[in-house]
Amino acid sequence: MAILGALRLTQSPPALAGATPPATPGRSSLHFHLANAGAAALVAASLLVADPAPAFIVRRLLSLSLSGSYSRKILGMGGADGVACARVWPQGGGPYGKQVTRGQDLTGKDFSGQTLIKQDFKTSILRQVNFKGANLLGASFFDADLTSADLSDADLRAADFSLANLSKANLTNANLEGALVTGNTSFKGTNINGADFTDVPLRDDQREYLCKIADGVNSTTGNPTKETLLCS
């Protein structure tokens, strides 16, 4: 993460007195935006290599850099001179749940009803954990073991389940809109009654399996599970 501490996003230095202005008025501004977009892309690449983060954060970083808001929006500004530093939770916590939850054995823990937005559960053992009704918006379950976990009624929008094991998990009435399930995410034996899979990118084999067991309507969104899975 050293690259984040060293990254400075500053505008081009002012032209020297008497210097000839650029022929095209918007050229320096264009160069500035392109330079920052490149810097943001470099940061995003380093994040993915050193610490796979939810893809929506990386996409947000790039979109902000291109829109002119730059990565300061999601990278906290530290130091008197405004050096960008990553607002991440290296110990595996989150903006709401500060306890260490990354790479931990949390078997059987009770997180029901808690607000755990963007909480980091990467590579954790979460067997039989109770997340019923929890707000897990944008949480990361990258490569986590969620066997027999209770995620019923949970807000899982934009959560990252890449490489996660959801075997026998309870996703009844969960809202997974925009969640990530790339890689070998396993849904074997999962209860998805009333779950909302709107905009969840699924492999053909995952979709085929889930469509066979899909049933019910999500009570929060009003969307039938089979429709959100685009079942034929």
Side-chain angles (χ1 to χ4, degrees):
M1 304 302 288
I3 186 171
L4 295 171
L7 179 63
R8 297 171 185 267
L9 299 179
T10 57
Q11 298 202 27
S12 302
L16 297 176
T20 303
T24 304
R27 183 172 297 171
S28 61
S29 177
L30 175 62
H31 289 172
F32 172 54
H33 287 288
L34 291 175
N36 279 308
L42 180 60
V43 172
S46 67
L47 285 171
L48 288 172
V49 171
D51 182 13
F56 77 95
I57 294 179
V58 176
R59 290 198 300 269
R60 181 65 175 153
L61 172 60
L62 292 173
S63 66
L64 286 170
S65 69
L66 291 171
S67 67
S69 298
Y70 317 124
S71 55
R72 291 188 184 92
K73 292 284 187 174
I74 59 173
L75 298 177
M77 300 306 293
D81 58 355
V83 175
C85 61
R87 185 178 296 161
V88 295
W89 297 271
Q91 294 183 341
Y96 292 88
K98 303 298 184 181
Q99 66 268 39
V100 178
T101 53
R102 176 179 176 178
Q104 304 295 310
D105 185 349
L106 301 171
T107 300
K109 294 290 184 180
D110 186 0
F111 294 101
S112 59
Q114 294 189 28
T115 298
L116 297 167
I117 296 174
K118 296 184 181 179
Q119 190 74 16
D120 188 351
F121 291 99
K122 292 188 191 78
T123 69
S124 289
I125 299 173
L126 303 168
R127 293 175 175 238
Q128 300 177 337
V129 168
N130 185 2
F131 288 113
K132 182 178 177 64
N135 186 347
L136 292 157
L137 177 68
S140 178
F141 296 98
F142 181 90
D143 200 22
D145 184 357
L146 288 149
T147 302
S148 299
D150 186 356
L151 293 155
S152 60
D153 301 304
D155 187 347
L156 299 169
R157 289 173 297 165
D160 185 1
F161 290 101
S162 301
L163 302 178
N165 183 5
L166 286 159
S167 298
K168 299 180 181 179
N170 183 5
L171 289 173
T172 301
N173 206 50
N175 187 357
L176 293 94
E177 181 179 355
L180 295 177
V181 294
T182 55
N184 295 320
T185 304
S186 175
F187 291 99
K188 186 176 181 180
T190 304
N191 184 347
I192 62 169
N193 186 53
D196 191 329
F197 285 87
T198 299
D199 295 330
V200 176
L202 294 163
R203 297 195 317 265
D204 289 342
D205 60 314
Q206 290 174 322
R207 191 184 310 280
E208 182 180 0
Y209 173 77
L210 291 173
C211 282
K212 290 179 180 178
I213 61 174
D215 195 13
V217 176
N218 188 279
S219 63
T220 300
T221 66
N223 296 326
T225 299
K226 284 191 174 183
E227 287 188 11
T228 65
L229 286 167
L230 304 179
C231 300
S232 55

